[in-house]
Amino acid sequence: MSVEVQELPCREGLIGTLTLNSPTTLNALSEAMIAQLRNCLARWADDERICVVLIRGSDKTGFCSGSDLRELYQSITESKNNEAAFSIVRHEYELIYALRRFPKPVVALGHGLIMGSGLGLYSACRYRLLTPDAALATPAMSIGLFPGVGASWFLNRLPGRLGLFMGLTGAHLNVSDALRVGLADMALPDSNHQGLLSSLQAERWSGNRAADDSRLFRLLSQAETQDYPALTASQLELHERDIARLCAGSSLPEIVDQLLAVRNDSEWWQASVKTLKGGCPVSAWLIWNQLQKAQQMSLKDVFRMELAMAWECVRRPDLAEGIRARLIDRDQSPQWSFSRIRDVPDAVIDAHFLPVWDDQTDPMHLE
């Protein structure tokens, strides 16, 4: 099974564990995995025995590398009306939204790659733990997409326009970076997976959400944590002032020009700018607009907006072309529909923010 499900006994109550286990895809979320996760969470939400949920990746893989893009590509290229591809995306949005509103405490244990939809899954959890080898990123710009499944919500809450920078560049954050900006809550030693489970199983869980959440908070606060000075040095600490300065302003083309013009010998900076330079011009505008529009939106409306954006991306050629160039043919030379950011018409971008769904027309039926 691509998702291993366990219900572990405690001194009182049960812990539900969901372990992503698809080594060949680095735990990318396939349609089958999404269905497994959705069905299990729906069952546990109403199961009074389940008091806490833990989500992690198997030891052989990272947490989650994102969506299963090969599966999505096949759906896009083989479907004449794109409904099959859109169905995969819609179910993924339903999963992450349900996780954000899950009625019981959820712990995410992140290690290795946590990217794209994987970061959406991780960020939706109440308690976000990391091991020192973790790498977090939103690299959708490189495949003609945008950071989705709630990214508009959590990227907007990062300091100093870091959310815009992450979206445009796909910059990788290490564990120190994630802790620094609040994308993670605490760091655990690599060897502490089983220790954490043992501690959770030694507790008496009541089934009362508030009481169990308080007990879990205290338990995690007392857990063995990684010595912070021993963690990998933060890249953001070196670059965050430049990021805030360069990403300020009201003109996306000028911000992009400023970022590309910087002379910085840092490998981390060069890798980030390379993604920006080779990324999809339409995606750059989508990221710019989604972050601005989401500032005053509820979580529900953020998910509706992003799903509408995804629907248009599925219909347009850039997403399929980006996946082809990066993952299928691997020529790393996508032929985007527009070659420069300044060439993208407003009408193309505006089409991604329609329709404006409400409670009656919402295809996800969000509550």
Side-chain angles (χ1 to χ4, degrees):
M1 299 291 286
S2 297
V3 178
E4 297 175 1
V5 179
Q6 292 180 292
E7 297 180 356
L8 303 178
C10 305
R11 291 180 69 186
E12 289 185 16
L14 298 176
I15 299 169
T17 68
L18 298 169
T19 304
L20 308 183
N21 188 18
S22 179
T24 58
T25 66
L26 300 178
N27 287 342
L29 294 174
S30 66
E31 186 172 22
M33 292 171 69
I34 292 168
Q36 279 184 273
L37 291 167
R38 287 174 64 221
N39 293 340
C40 193
L41 287 172
R43 186 175 73 252
W44 283 349
D46 296 326
D47 189 336
E48 295 181 354
R49 302 172 305 150
I50 301 294
C51 301
V52 177
V53 172
L54 174 70
I55 302 178
R56 59 180 176 170
S58 65
D59 293 339
K60 298 179 182 179
T61 61
F63 181 76
C64 178
S65 62
S67 303
D68 189 331
L69 295 177
R70 291 180 180 274
E71 181 182 64
L72 183 60
Y73 178 81
Q74 183 177 4
S75 295
I76 293 173
T77 55
E78 293 182 359
S79 173
K80 295 182 180 180
N81 59 10
N82 295 317
E83 287 293 340
F86 182 66
S87 177
I88 296 174
V89 175
R90 177 170 59 83
H91 290 152
E92 188 174 61
Y93 273 74
E94 291 170 352
L95 165 65
I96 306 300
Y97 185 80
L99 185 58
R100 281 193 169 273
R101 292 171 54 84
F102 196 71
K104 301 173 183 180
V106 182
V107 180
L109 180 55
H111 72 288
L113 291 179
I114 307 174
M115 304 176 73
S117 295
L119 184 53
L121 182 73
Y122 178 79
S123 297
C125 298
R126 173 71 173 86
Y127 296 95
R128 301 157 303 166
L129 315 183
L130 284 182
T131 56
D133 65 337
L136 292 71
T138 55
M141 171 87 164
S142 65
I143 60 164
L145 199 55
F146 61 92
V149 288
S152 305
W153 183 265
F154 62 80
L155 290 180
N156 261 336
R157 284 157 174 78
L158 300 181
R161 285 218 163 180
L162 176 60
L164 176 62
F165 182 80
M166 285 186 65
L168 292 176
T169 66
H172 284 216
L173 305 190
N174 62 31
V175 60
S176 297
D177 297 327
L179 292 168
R180 184 179 183 84
V181 299
L183 279 174
D185 300 308
M186 61 185 295
L188 294 175
D190 283 320
S191 60
N192 207 39
H193 296 204
Q194 187 56 49
L196 175 63
L197 274 175
S198 297
S199 297
L200 292 172
Q201 288 185 266
E203 289 291 327
R204 295 183 184 275
W205 305 103
S206 67
N208 177 281
R209 177 179 181 177
D212 287 341
D213 190 66
S214 178
R215 180 175 285 106
L216 180 57
F217 178 82
R218 290 196 303 271
L219 185 151
L220 293 176
S221 298
Q222 298 167 2
E224 178 188 356
T225 59
Q226 182 73 9
D227 183 18
Y228 288 104
L231 293 172
T232 304
S234 169
Q235 293 291 338
L236 288 181
E237 186 176 4
L238 302 176
H239 301 293
E240 58 193 1
R241 291 185 180 180
D242 288 334
I243 291 171
R245 174 176 55 86
L246 294 168
C247 291
S250 58
S251 169
L252 174 64
E254 290 179 7
I255 288 172
V256 171
D257 288 346
Q258 290 174 170
L259 289 169
L260 294 177
V262 169
R263 294 186 177 182
N264 190 318
D265 294 332
S266 160
E267 292 184 7
W268 181 84
W269 185 273
Q270 291 295 329
S272 301
V273 171
K274 182 179 179 181
T275 299
L276 171 61
K277 187 175 182 179
C280 176
V282 171
S283 292
W285 280 111
L286 295 183
I287 294 163
W288 175 259
N289 280 275
Q290 75 177 108
L291 293 180
Q292 290 188 332
K293 292 177 182 293
Q295 289 178 1
Q296 304 300 323
M297 284 185 173
S298 66
L299 180 66
K300 181 193 299 185
D301 287 335
V302 162
F303 271 72
R304 287 171 172 167
M305 176 189 73
E306 290 181 358
L307 186 64
M309 295 169 66
W311 168 236
E312 187 65 13
C313 286
V314 166
R315 295 173 44 161
R316 295 193 72 260
D318 285 331
L319 177 56
E321 172 62 9
I323 298 174
R324 180 206 65 76
R326 305 300 185 194
L327 295 176
I328 307 301
D329 298 334
R330 295 183 178 273
D331 56 43
Q332 308 304 324
S333 299
Q335 301 302 305
W336 303 124
S337 56
F338 300 94
S339 59
R340 301 185 310 161
I341 288 176
R342 287 180 170 85
D343 294 338
V344 181
D346 290 344
V348 170
I349 303 305
D350 292 343
H352 289 78
F353 296 92
L354 297 172
V356 180
W357 287 311
D358 56 25
D359 289 346
Q360 283 69 47
T361 59
D362 178 5
M364 293 180 286
H365 308 292
L366 300 183
E367 297 180 357

